[in-house]
Amino acid sequence: MAQATEVQQRYGKTQRTDRWWLEPVALGAGFLIFVIYSTVSGFNVGNWHYEAGPYLSPFFEPLINPSWTPEWFSPAIFILWAPLGFRATCYYYRRMYYRSFFMSPMACAVSEPAKYYTGESKFPFILMNSHRFFLYVALLFIPVLWYGAAKSFWMPGEGLGIGVGSIILVANAFLLMMFTIGCNSLRHIVGGGLNCFSCTNFTRTRRKMWDLVTVANERHKAWAWASLVSVGVSDLYIRLVANGAITDINTWTTF
Amino acid sequence: MPNAHLKVWRGDTGGAYVDYDVEYEEGMVVLDVVHRLQATQAGDLAVRWNCKAGKCGSCSAEINGKPVLQCMTRMETFIPGETITVAPLKTFPLIRDLVTDVSWNYRVAETMPELKLSAPDADGHRRMAQIDIDREQEFRKCIECYICQDVCHVIRDHPENMEKFAGPRFFVQLANVSMHPLDQNPAKATVSHGFGLDYCNITKCCTDVCPEGIHITDNAIIPLKERRVDEYYDPVKALVRKVFGGGDKK
Amino acid sequence: MAEIETHDYDVLVIGAGGAGLRAAVEASATGARTGLVCKSLLGKAHTVMAEGGIAAAMGNVYSEDNWQVHFRDTMRGGKMLNNWRMAQLHAQEAPARVMELEEWGALFDRTEDGRILQRDFGGHRYARLAHVGDRTGLEMIRTLQQHAVHRGMDVYQEVTVNRLLKDGDRISGALAYYRESGRMVLFRAKAVILATGGLGKVFAITSNSWEGTGDGHSLAMQAGADMIDMEFVQFHPTGMVWPPSVRGILVTEGVRGDGGTLKNASGERFMFNYIPSMFAAETADTEAEADAWYEDRTKRRTPDLLPRDEVARAINSEVKAGRGTPHGGVYLDIASRRSSEYIKRRLPSMYHQFMQLAGVDITAGPMEVGPTAHYAMGGVKVDAETAATTVPGLYAAGEVAGGMHGSNRLGGNSLSDLVVFGRRAGEAAAQYALGLSTLPSVSEGEIAERSAAILKPFDGGKENPYTLHRELQDAMQEEVGIIRTNSEMQSALGKIDNLRERLGHVQVEGNIQYNPGWHLALDMEHMLLVAEAITRAAVERKESRGGHTRDDFPGPNADFGKVNVVVRHTAGGLGVTQEPLPQMPDELKKLFEE
């Protein structure tokens, strides 16, 4: 079949006149910055402190630091695979990085460079189906993060108080919760998989949950970025405080 | 009256873009300008259209590279003096000018499973709650403009996939079948298996271009993918099936 | 002409809107080998534009409703000129046809207890319209289309029928061309069902798409079928008039029902000057009284909600008196009465229609509206039970058929008409065809002659088909429009003659591949014949009734209330006669004696 007006064989060919490249470049750059930062921080390069007073960096929450691990080992390695896997298989992030990094396609109606395309039907992208598994893990992390946020109001030896770090950790726990609640896979589990919402009281309740998840899901992109930034900022803030670069403003006297 | 500078594809695959200056008035859409061009300068200019109100999905084209309905693209959205390129849909074989052969879509439509509803109640009525069908009613807003099919890179850049990939419009129809509260068709269980659903990498261009605002990706494609995850990839559901046996799928 | 592509069918259905699809489904189910020809792509027919709903006395909202009430509403709406048997069958069978659509996948809005929800509409005594928001027609087309593609029929998309063929008295097929390639195609068929829809395109301002060129009306006339009620054309009072991109597109009656008022260019609510004595008792005659009705429905109604024909005439008079808007309409203002939230909640599609298509915010300012040619009540005369025309083997269903709606159609009765009579036509045509042992023959000579004739617009001439079409539309709009007089209609007949002569010298550019100019030139022949039929029938009916208003004969005439005007194509041209209406049995007459 002859294609209309020699459909784009060449990468990036399009008749679009707007700045279609801006969003994938900007989002890709932002994501790349986070990946580099979180790798450096997660492997604890330079052995900076990640605990300051009542604050623990969310990269390390919950802190698992057994004695048998080697000197260079970062306790974040026990943690980070989960949020990493959750985000890597997230339907929103897939849209973003397939566009920004795989150029498949970089923008709508812009031709892509790949000669062959099998999408998510073959390895490695078939692994995206593990998103459900990562969701279950991510759901376990929500109480853990709130625990870390609650803990940040309790200064050992001094008691209840509040600091800028506590506020940041609460905001972070909230944003990560909203990102998780808006998950497409969760939307399916709570109600999307049903064909009859009206059948029983339980399915009616699940419809209401589905409606709530849908509200969060409609802004999944916004929650994804907000929580990505917040988790990075939380880690950075706590490390800066822990290493004395800045001082946390708080109600405690010994910190 | 201002002039619009149009660059319109003329001819078949051996054709070329031709420049036209067409007078237009405030409030016109691109289709009006194309019609005026047709009535005054290019009587044989081929263009499909019917309702001119965004309800029939006939006048799909690519304007300045973006797949849109010509009748819903208002002239005010262009900078005065800007050259407006009007091209046919590029994913489908060109017939002439702005008209393409969209018959592939009709062939795919024939492969769609049919609904087979359960018997009506004793009084002859079928009862369905509004909350069970509102999700489906969104799918049925589809006007079959095939703009989502045109923009989908799975077939736009890789036409060989047309043999195994139904495309966003038909994933919407499959979701409609899958979620129908009264459908008893055994084929329903398999709607998320075939049709090339796993070729979709959810880059969401279909949703971006849909003139009806159907959330194709979030409400049709991803739920279908998730329904398949239920069967094959959900660790908890797999465990439940292993322990309690059987598939308690609803 | 041995090389012409030929297909043989028991039943050939021309048109794939609601009626054509339903007919094809039924013909196929009855066992006939069925072909379906559509002028556009499948699923694009004008049925998709229907918004309000499909009228069927299911009684889901008001259990008092039944077919007798629906029948009576329909007859009254048509000013008793309807074919009573069609109106009866329609009212009786519509509920089953709606349930059938649901079985095939249509998802109508629901009542609290899960049945099909029904809405109120003008002229219907009870809430009766099954609907899907404001896109009921789309739901119906898509449902029928998805059902039909699994029923084993052949579909010919973008094929235009140019002539029906006959073997002696009876139908023997149709000659058509592929719009894409320009090649001719011959369908030999035992029976043909016309389901070609309307003829709005003979008027300048219309809600119809390019397809509404009256092909079926013309094909039937050329084949010798009788036409009835051609003078009755429904002008919907509120179509958009500006901007040009949306001229003619409907503005739903709901705008006025929800508080919109009509105003002329100086801001006057002119409808108070046009209250006919017949409705004076139930209509408010001051602004204060009309305003009170919006809050208390027991008060007398605002004159903005008079019947469609009354409102259309009033708007027309204002514009002719120079009190119209700059674009030749009047203002329809809902923004000054209702809040932005209210308008967006009650009229979402109108809000989006004006916002997206016109860039007009109806929550902030008025709409410009004017009458728009909407629906042809008249059409091919058919037998109520079988949809058979006066030509053996030729059937007609939907808008192309006449009689069902009398002189004026009620909203919602069109969609139900399509499926009730589409099904009946399909079944009857299939049975007729299965009763014939051999295909009737087609005339090789006629095919050769037509094949040459349709190519004539390519050689030598100077007339632009688009110009000819525009002139016809302007003549019909001006002179055979909402208000008619004998002298103006005679003038229109002269113009039609002149245009027909000039059509003989039409010149199209390019080649036969997908050439809209050429297609228009061929459609013009049909439009001219249809325009003439409308005009001649309108000259004959010397009274005002429903969708036919004569300035020189204001008001109804009892004698004309007993007859149909029949148009028949003969060698000498179009002949017009009057025929008495079929008489309703006494038990039905009783329904009107309450």
Side-chain angles (χ1 to χ4, degrees), chain A residues 158-182:
Chain A
E158 205 170 336
L160 210 56
I162 185 169
V164 173
S166 332
I167 295 165
I168 289 176
L169 285 174
V170 167
N172 182 51
F174 174 74
L175 292 171
L176 284 166
M177 180 181 74
M178 290 308 293
F179 170 59
T180 310
I181 287 178

PDB file of all heavy atoms in Angstrom, chain A residues 158-182:
ATOM      1  N   GLU A 158      14.133  14.918  74.052  1.00  0.00           N
ATOM      2  CA  GLU A 158      13.561  16.250  74.257  1.00  0.00           C
ATOM      3  C   GLU A 158      12.040  16.252  74.094  1.00  0.00           C
ATOM      4  O   GLU A 158      11.334  17.018  74.729  1.00  0.00           O
ATOM      5  CB  GLU A 158      14.176  17.234  73.267  1.00  0.00           C
ATOM      6  CG  GLU A 158      14.112  18.657  73.786  1.00  0.00           C
ATOM      7  CD  GLU A 158      14.918  19.606  72.937  1.00  0.00           C
ATOM      8  OE1 GLU A 158      15.865  19.148  72.243  1.00  0.00           O
ATOM      9  OE2 GLU A 158      14.609  20.787  72.948  1.00  0.00           O
ATOM     10  N   GLY A 159      11.534  15.376  73.223  1.00  0.00           N
ATOM     11  CA  GLY A 159      10.089  15.252  73.106  1.00  0.00           C
ATOM     12  C   GLY A 159       9.499  15.974  71.911  1.00  0.00           C
ATOM     13  O   GLY A 159      10.191  16.251  70.927  1.00  0.00           O
ATOM     14  N   LEU A 160       8.213  16.275  72.026  1.00  0.00           N
ATOM     15  CA  LEU A 160       7.442  16.788  70.912  1.00  0.00           C
ATOM     16  C   LEU A 160       7.911  18.171  70.464  1.00  0.00           C
ATOM     17  O   LEU A 160       8.259  19.003  71.285  1.00  0.00           O
ATOM     18  CB  LEU A 160       5.960  16.849  71.331  1.00  0.00           C
ATOM     19  CG  LEU A 160       4.930  16.676  70.228  1.00  0.00           C
ATOM     20  CD1 LEU A 160       5.127  15.372  69.474  1.00  0.00           C
ATOM     21  CD2 LEU A 160       3.531  16.739  70.837  1.00  0.00           C
ATOM     22  N   GLY A 161       7.899  18.392  69.185  1.00  0.00           N
ATOM     23  CA  GLY A 161       8.266  19.696  68.630  1.00  0.00           C
ATOM     24  C   GLY A 161       7.990  19.688  67.141  1.00  0.00           C
ATOM     25  O   GLY A 161       7.395  18.759  66.604  1.00  0.00           O
ATOM     26  N   ILE A 162       8.424  20.765  66.489  1.00  0.00           N
ATOM     27  CA  ILE A 162       8.223  20.846  65.041  1.00  0.00           C
ATOM     28  C   ILE A 162       9.349  21.634  64.402  1.00  0.00           C
ATOM     29  O   ILE A 162       9.879  22.578  65.004  1.00  0.00           O
ATOM     30  CB  ILE A 162       6.842  21.477  64.713  1.00  0.00           C
ATOM     31  CG1 ILE A 162       6.591  21.443  63.204  1.00  0.00           C
ATOM     32  CG2 ILE A 162       6.735  22.905  65.255  1.00  0.00           C
ATOM     33  CD1 ILE A 162       5.179  21.792  62.794  1.00  0.00           C
ATOM     34  N   GLY A 163       9.743  21.208  63.229  1.00  0.00           N
ATOM     35  CA  GLY A 163      10.781  21.919  62.509  1.00  0.00           C
ATOM     36  C   GLY A 163      10.445  21.951  61.028  1.00  0.00           C
ATOM     37  O   GLY A 163       9.489  21.314  60.586  1.00  0.00           O
ATOM     38  N   VAL A 164      11.232  22.712  60.282  1.00  0.00           N
ATOM     39  CA  VAL A 164      11.011  22.779  58.834  1.00  0.00           C
ATOM     40  C   VAL A 164      11.086  21.378  58.233  1.00  0.00           C
ATOM     41  O   VAL A 164      10.299  21.008  57.366  1.00  0.00           O
ATOM     42  CB  VAL A 164      12.057  23.718  58.182  1.00  0.00           C
ATOM     43  CG1 VAL A 164      11.945  23.661  56.660  1.00  0.00           C
ATOM     44  CG2 VAL A 164      11.863  25.139  58.674  1.00  0.00           C
ATOM     45  N   GLY A 165      12.001  20.579  58.745  1.00  0.00           N
ATOM     46  CA  GLY A 165      12.153  19.215  58.236  1.00  0.00           C
ATOM     47  C   GLY A 165      10.901  18.391  58.446  1.00  0.00           C
ATOM     48  O   GLY A 165      10.521  17.587  57.591  1.00  0.00           O
ATOM     49  N   SER A 166      10.220  18.592  59.601  1.00  0.00           N
ATOM     50  CA  SER A 166       8.982  17.836  59.844  1.00  0.00           C
ATOM     51  C   SER A 166       7.940  18.184  58.795  1.00  0.00           C
ATOM     52  O   SER A 166       7.240  17.315  58.274  1.00  0.00           O
ATOM     53  CB  SER A 166       8.403  18.147  61.235  1.00  0.00           C
ATOM     54  OG  SER A 166       9.396  18.521  62.131  1.00  0.00           O
ATOM     55  N   ILE A 167       7.855  19.480  58.520  1.00  0.00           N
ATOM     56  CA  ILE A 167       6.861  19.928  57.540  1.00  0.00           C
ATOM     57  C   ILE A 167       7.175  19.324  56.162  1.00  0.00           C
ATOM     58  O   ILE A 167       6.291  18.837  55.458  1.00  0.00           O
ATOM     59  CB  ILE A 167       6.826  21.468  57.475  1.00  0.00           C
ATOM     60  CG1 ILE A 167       6.340  22.003  58.831  1.00  0.00           C
ATOM     61  CG2 ILE A 167       5.938  21.953  56.350  1.00  0.00           C
ATOM     62  CD1 ILE A 167       6.603  23.478  59.035  1.00  0.00           C
ATOM     63  N   ILE A 168       8.442  19.333  55.822  1.00  0.00           N
ATOM     64  CA  ILE A 168       8.834  18.776  54.518  1.00  0.00           C
ATOM     65  C   ILE A 168       8.495  17.291  54.459  1.00  0.00           C
ATOM     66  O   ILE A 168       7.958  16.803  53.452  1.00  0.00           O
ATOM     67  CB  ILE A 168      10.345  19.002  54.259  1.00  0.00           C
ATOM     68  CG1 ILE A 168      10.589  20.487  53.999  1.00  0.00           C
ATOM     69  CG2 ILE A 168      10.837  18.139  53.107  1.00  0.00           C
ATOM     70  CD1 ILE A 168      12.055  20.845  53.830  1.00  0.00           C
ATOM     71  N   LEU A 169       8.734  16.565  55.530  1.00  0.00           N
ATOM     72  CA  LEU A 169       8.476  15.125  55.504  1.00  0.00           C
ATOM     73  C   LEU A 169       6.974  14.814  55.465  1.00  0.00           C
ATOM     74  O   LEU A 169       6.565  13.836  54.846  1.00  0.00           O
ATOM     75  CB  LEU A 169       9.140  14.454  56.723  1.00  0.00           C
ATOM     76  CG  LEU A 169      10.661  14.316  56.585  1.00  0.00           C
ATOM     77  CD1 LEU A 169      11.287  13.793  57.878  1.00  0.00           C
ATOM     78  CD2 LEU A 169      11.037  13.412  55.416  1.00  0.00           C
ATOM     79  N   VAL A 170       6.172  15.652  56.103  1.00  0.00           N
ATOM     80  CA  VAL A 170       4.721  15.464  56.027  1.00  0.00           C
ATOM     81  C   VAL A 170       4.253  15.709  54.597  1.00  0.00           C
ATOM     82  O   VAL A 170       3.495  14.925  54.017  1.00  0.00           O
ATOM     83  CB  VAL A 170       3.983  16.402  57.012  1.00  0.00           C
ATOM     84  CG1 VAL A 170       2.494  16.433  56.706  1.00  0.00           C
ATOM     85  CG2 VAL A 170       4.218  15.947  58.440  1.00  0.00           C
ATOM     86  N   ALA A 171       4.737  16.812  54.031  1.00  0.00           N
ATOM     87  CA  ALA A 171       4.356  17.118  52.650  1.00  0.00           C
ATOM     88  C   ALA A 171       4.765  15.986  51.726  1.00  0.00           C
ATOM     89  O   ALA A 171       4.015  15.560  50.844  1.00  0.00           O
ATOM     90  CB  ALA A 171       5.005  18.432  52.204  1.00  0.00           C
ATOM     91  N   ASN A 172       5.949  15.458  51.954  1.00  0.00           N
ATOM     92  CA  ASN A 172       6.462  14.375  51.113  1.00  0.00           C
ATOM     93  C   ASN A 172       5.602  13.121  51.243  1.00  0.00           C
ATOM     94  O   ASN A 172       5.253  12.490  50.248  1.00  0.00           O
ATOM     95  CB  ASN A 172       7.908  14.079  51.511  1.00  0.00           C
ATOM     96  CG  ASN A 172       8.516  13.004  50.649  1.00  0.00           C
ATOM     97  OD1 ASN A 172       8.461  13.091  49.425  1.00  0.00           O
ATOM     98  ND2 ASN A 172       9.064  11.966  51.273  1.00  0.00           N
ATOM     99  N   ALA A 173       5.251  12.774  52.488  1.00  0.00           N
ATOM    100  CA  ALA A 173       4.414  11.584  52.693  1.00  0.00           C
ATOM    101  C   ALA A 173       3.063  11.770  52.014  1.00  0.00           C
ATOM    102  O   ALA A 173       2.526  10.850  51.380  1.00  0.00           O
ATOM    103  CB  ALA A 173       4.215  11.321  54.184  1.00  0.00           C
ATOM    104  N   PHE A 174       2.523  12.987  52.120  1.00  0.00           N
ATOM    105  CA  PHE A 174       1.232  13.259  51.497  1.00  0.00           C
ATOM    106  C   PHE A 174       1.319  13.128  49.971  1.00  0.00           C
ATOM    107  O   PHE A 174       0.490  12.472  49.337  1.00  0.00           O
ATOM    108  CB  PHE A 174       0.762  14.665  51.885  1.00  0.00           C
ATOM    109  CG  PHE A 174      -0.498  15.067  51.170  1.00  0.00           C
ATOM    110  CD1 PHE A 174      -1.720  14.523  51.533  1.00  0.00           C
ATOM    111  CD2 PHE A 174      -0.462  15.990  50.123  1.00  0.00           C
ATOM    112  CE1 PHE A 174      -2.883  14.874  50.861  1.00  0.00           C
ATOM    113  CE2 PHE A 174      -1.607  16.349  49.458  1.00  0.00           C
ATOM    114  CZ  PHE A 174      -2.822  15.798  49.826  1.00  0.00           C
ATOM    115  N   LEU A 175       2.345  13.737  49.393  1.00  0.00           N
ATOM    116  CA  LEU A 175       2.461  13.707  47.929  1.00  0.00           C
ATOM    117  C   LEU A 175       2.683  12.280  47.423  1.00  0.00           C
ATOM    118  O   LEU A 175       2.101  11.867  46.419  1.00  0.00           O
ATOM    119  CB  LEU A 175       3.586  14.632  47.466  1.00  0.00           C
ATOM    120  CG  LEU A 175       3.307  16.127  47.685  1.00  0.00           C
ATOM    121  CD1 LEU A 175       4.558  16.953  47.411  1.00  0.00           C
ATOM    122  CD2 LEU A 175       2.155  16.598  46.803  1.00  0.00           C
ATOM    123  N   LEU A 176       3.511  11.531  48.136  1.00  0.00           N
ATOM    124  CA  LEU A 176       3.750  10.147  47.707  1.00  0.00           C
ATOM    125  C   LEU A 176       2.484   9.315  47.854  1.00  0.00           C
ATOM    126  O   LEU A 176       2.201   8.445  47.028  1.00  0.00           O
ATOM    127  CB  LEU A 176       4.892   9.533  48.531  1.00  0.00           C
ATOM    128  CG  LEU A 176       6.280  10.018  48.109  1.00  0.00           C
ATOM    129  CD1 LEU A 176       7.320   9.647  49.155  1.00  0.00           C
ATOM    130  CD2 LEU A 176       6.668   9.447  46.752  1.00  0.00           C
ATOM    131  N   MET A 177       1.695   9.607  48.879  1.00  0.00           N
ATOM    132  CA  MET A 177       0.437   8.893  49.053  1.00  0.00           C
ATOM    133  C   MET A 177      -0.503   9.217  47.890  1.00  0.00           C
ATOM    134  O   MET A 177      -1.124   8.317  47.310  1.00  0.00           O
ATOM    135  CB  MET A 177      -0.194   9.286  50.382  1.00  0.00           C
ATOM    136  CG  MET A 177      -1.523   8.582  50.641  1.00  0.00           C
ATOM    137  SD  MET A 177      -2.248   9.092  52.208  1.00  0.00           S
ATOM    138  CE  MET A 177      -2.825  10.739  51.795  1.00  0.00           C
ATOM    139  N   MET A 178      -0.590  10.491  47.552  1.00  0.00           N
ATOM    140  CA  MET A 178      -1.491  10.875  46.462  1.00  0.00           C
ATOM    141  C   MET A 178      -1.039  10.273  45.134  1.00  0.00           C
ATOM    142  O   MET A 178      -1.856   9.865  44.309  1.00  0.00           O
ATOM    143  CB  MET A 178      -1.578  12.398  46.345  1.00  0.00           C
ATOM    144  CG  MET A 178      -2.320  13.061  47.482  1.00  0.00           C
ATOM    145  SD  MET A 178      -3.959  12.333  47.786  1.00  0.00           S
ATOM    146  CE  MET A 178      -4.817  12.791  46.294  1.00  0.00           C
ATOM    147  N   PHE A 179       0.271  10.220  44.934  1.00  0.00           N
ATOM    148  CA  PHE A 179       0.780   9.592  43.713  1.00  0.00           C
ATOM    149  C   PHE A 179       0.371   8.115  43.683  1.00  0.00           C
ATOM    150  O   PHE A 179      -0.084   7.596  42.664  1.00  0.00           O
ATOM    151  CB  PHE A 179       2.305   9.742  43.649  1.00  0.00           C
ATOM    152  CG  PHE A 179       2.947   8.935  42.558  1.00  0.00           C
ATOM    153  CD1 PHE A 179       2.605   9.128  41.226  1.00  0.00           C
ATOM    154  CD2 PHE A 179       3.911   7.972  42.861  1.00  0.00           C
ATOM    155  CE1 PHE A 179       3.200   8.390  40.221  1.00  0.00           C
ATOM    156  CE2 PHE A 179       4.504   7.229  41.860  1.00  0.00           C
ATOM    157  CZ  PHE A 179       4.150   7.434  40.541  1.00  0.00           C
ATOM    158  N   THR A 180       0.480   7.442  44.824  1.00  0.00           N
ATOM    159  CA  THR A 180       0.154   6.018  44.874  1.00  0.00           C
ATOM    160  C   THR A 180      -1.349   5.790  44.720  1.00  0.00           C
ATOM    161  O   THR A 180      -1.784   4.879  44.012  1.00  0.00           O
ATOM    162  CB  THR A 180       0.648   5.416  46.198  1.00  0.00           C
ATOM    163  OG1 THR A 180       2.012   5.803  46.392  1.00  0.00           O
ATOM    164  CG2 THR A 180       0.553   3.903  46.181  1.00  0.00           C
ATOM    165  N   ILE A 181      -2.133   6.644  45.359  1.00  0.00           N
ATOM    166  CA  ILE A 181      -3.590   6.494  45.271  1.00  0.00           C
ATOM    167  C   ILE A 181      -4.091   6.691  43.842  1.00  0.00           C
ATOM    168  O   ILE A 181      -5.070   6.102  43.421  1.00  0.00           O
ATOM    169  CB  ILE A 181      -4.284   7.477  46.242  1.00  0.00           C
ATOM    170  CG1 ILE A 181      -4.105   6.985  47.672  1.00  0.00           C
ATOM    171  CG2 ILE A 181      -5.775   7.616  45.925  1.00  0.00           C
ATOM    172  CD1 ILE A 181      -4.705   7.917  48.705  1.00  0.00           C
ATOM    173  N   GLY A 182      -3.395   7.538  43.090  1.00  0.00           N
ATOM    174  CA  GLY A 182      -3.824   7.811  41.722  1.00  0.00           C
ATOM    175  C   GLY A 182      -3.382   6.752  40.724  1.00  0.00           C
ATOM    176  O   GLY A 182      -3.597   6.912  39.526  1.00  0.00           O
TER     177      GLY A 182
END
